[in-house]
Amino acid sequence: MELNRTLLEQVVERRKIFKFRKSQLTSEKPHYQIVIHNDKEKKSYIFACSTTKYEKRKRYIELEGLPETTLVWIKPSDNNGLTENSYIDCNSVFVISDDEFYQKYSEGELTLEGELEEGYFFQICAGIADSPRISNEIRELAKIIIENG
């Protein structure tokens, strides 16, 4: 069943996990992307991208002197739809417009995979809030998400 744009926008909420290829990644392989925030005013979504390359991300974080809290481990489960241990580098989030997201959906380039458990979601938000690489606006938003539970 194909969703119209309004219904799709309602599905894209915090903690949902979609699988799609992010245009800024060098990999052609789709990745699991976690919705951090649906900004209805700006008509955009904030996502965090998962990876299975733990050692590579850990090394980067160590070399750059970034807080350890900015690398979050997620265990796969039936609920979240992940198929192997995954990691979120909270030093890198991205914003996608609702137009671009809907285009990916319309072209069959994304799928809804599951929903992230609340505990992991708040760990990611804490990592985003701790990261000096994230804009102040998004860091403050992450703090508000944590405060409001």
Side-chain angles (χ1 to χ4, degrees):
M1 176 177 103
E2 185 168 327
L3 300 174
N4 69 34
R5 188 177 188 120
T6 304
L7 287 175
L8 181 64
E9 289 169 359
Q10 292 172 5
V11 170
V12 184
E13 58 187 24
R14 292 176 184 163
R15 298 177 38 214
K16 295 294 186 194
I17 300 177
F18 290 86
K19 191 173 187 179
F20 61 91
R21 188 179 157 278
K22 182 179 147 196
S23 53
Q24 295 91 333
L25 289 177
T26 54
S27 171
E28 291 294 318
K29 180 180 157 189
H31 283 69
Y32 294 97
Q33 317 284 354
I34 299 164
V35 179
I36 303 301
H37 185 66
N38 178 343
D39 191 331
K40 292 179 181 5
E41 279 184 26
K42 294 182 181 178
K43 296 187 176 189
S44 63
Y45 310 110
I46 300 171
F47 281 94
C49 181
S50 74
T51 182
T52 56
K53 296 179 170 60
Y54 171 73
E55 290 299 329
K56 182 178 178 181
R57 297 319 311 156
K58 182 179 180 239
R59 181 165 164 71
Y60 167 77
I61 287 169
E62 288 171 349
L63 288 173
E64 295 295 317
L66 298 167
E68 289 180 12
T69 56
T70 62
L71 186 61
V72 176
W73 167 69
I74 303 171
K75 182 180 179 178
S77 72
D78 291 339
N79 189 55
N80 65 34
L82 300 174
T83 57
E84 55 189 303
N85 286 328
S86 298
Y87 304 88
I88 303 297
D89 178 351
C90 301
N91 299 292
S92 177
V93 298
F94 67 99
V95 178
I96 184 171
S97 72
D98 62 354
D99 287 336
E100 184 179 353
F101 191 82
Y102 187 73
Q103 181 179 351
K104 284 182 180 296
Y105 171 75
S106 297
E107 294 172 359
E109 295 180 10
L110 69 82
T111 54
L112 175 60
E113 297 294 322
E115 184 170 12
L116 186 65
E117 293 81 358
E118 195 172 76
Y120 291 128
F121 180 73
F122 288 121
Q123 286 179 39
I124 293 167
C125 289
I128 291 169
D130 288 347
S131 175
R133 298 279 167 91
I134 300 298
S135 72
N136 285 337
E137 179 183 4
I138 292 177
R139 289 172 68 186
E140 289 304 313
L141 174 63
K143 291 175 188 175
I144 290 167
I145 291 170
I146 294 167
E147 288 171 10
N148 293 336

